[in-house]
Amino acid sequence: MRRNSLFIVIYIAALMLGACSNEGIAFKKAEQSYAIGEYYAASINYKKSYSRCAPKEKDKRAVRAFMLGECYRHIGFTQKAMAAYLSAIRNKVPDSLAYLHLAKQQLKAGQYKQAEQNFQQYLTFDPGNELAHSGLLSCELGPQWKAKPNQYTVKN
């Protein structure tokens, strides 16, 4: 009986070590895929790596969520990119570009008020950024243009 319990303890320890290394392997594969422009493959591996990180490891989770957002942004998955950037911000990502990219995705989705808040937040980090200033202008003009479309009608 004692031998069986020792075997079970060793087996569980091996499984836990394997799970830890799988997170690192998935992250390395994701980095390689991202470097060569395979953003979809990278997103799958970043998602695996993110889900295998412990919730207490906020710095690892933040980096993986940010990179997942970058992959989704390159692919064109706006909603998934916004969710990933929000997760990165929630986990306190050290890169302030998360706010800028989140705001641009929100602008793309038509969420002007949230985009304006995130552009303002990014401007606290980089006050002279022209992209953020033009984004703020877009947040002001977008609803006006949406309310009053162009004066022309297109006919066949």
Side-chain angles (χ1 to χ4, degrees), residues 97-127:
L97 282 175
Y99 290 102
L100 180 65
H101 292 313
L102 173 62
K104 286 168 43 179
Q105 295 300 312
Q106 288 171 330
L107 193 63
K108 191 175 175 182
Q111 299 174 356
Y112 299 111
K113 291 193 187 302
Q114 295 94 335
E116 185 176 359
Q117 291 171 354
N118 286 309
F119 279 125
Q120 291 288 352
Q121 184 67 32
Y122 179 72
L123 283 172
T124 61
F125 297 109
D126 186 9

Side-chain angles (χ1 to χ4, degrees), residues 18 20 44 46 51 57-58 73 78-79 84 94 96 103 116 119 121 123 127 155:
C20 293
I44 291 170
Y46 278 127
S51 65
E57 297 179 308
K58 292 202 180 278
R73 180 176 65 89
T78 304
Q79 296 297 325
S96 62
E116 185 176 359
F119 279 125
Q121 184 67 32
L123 283 172
K155 296 180 182 177

Side-chain angles (χ1 to χ4, degrees), residues 2 24-25 29 49 53 58-59 101 115 117 119-120 132 142 150:
R2 190 172 194 181
I25 291 170
K29 284 182 181 178
S49 179
C53 280
K58 292 202 180 278
D59 53 340
H101 292 313
Q117 291 171 354
F119 279 125
Q120 291 288 352
N150 60 16

Side-chain angles (χ1 to χ4, degrees), residues 2-13:
R2 190 172 194 181
R3 183 180 235 181
N4 287 342
S5 62
L6 180 63
F7 176 73
I8 292 172
V9 169
I10 292 172
Y11 181 72
I12 290 173

Side-chain angles (χ1 to χ4, degrees), residues 126-139:
D126 186 9
N129 191 296
E130 286 298 317
L131 284 174
H133 286 292
S134 65
L136 281 174
L137 183 62
S138 297
C139 289

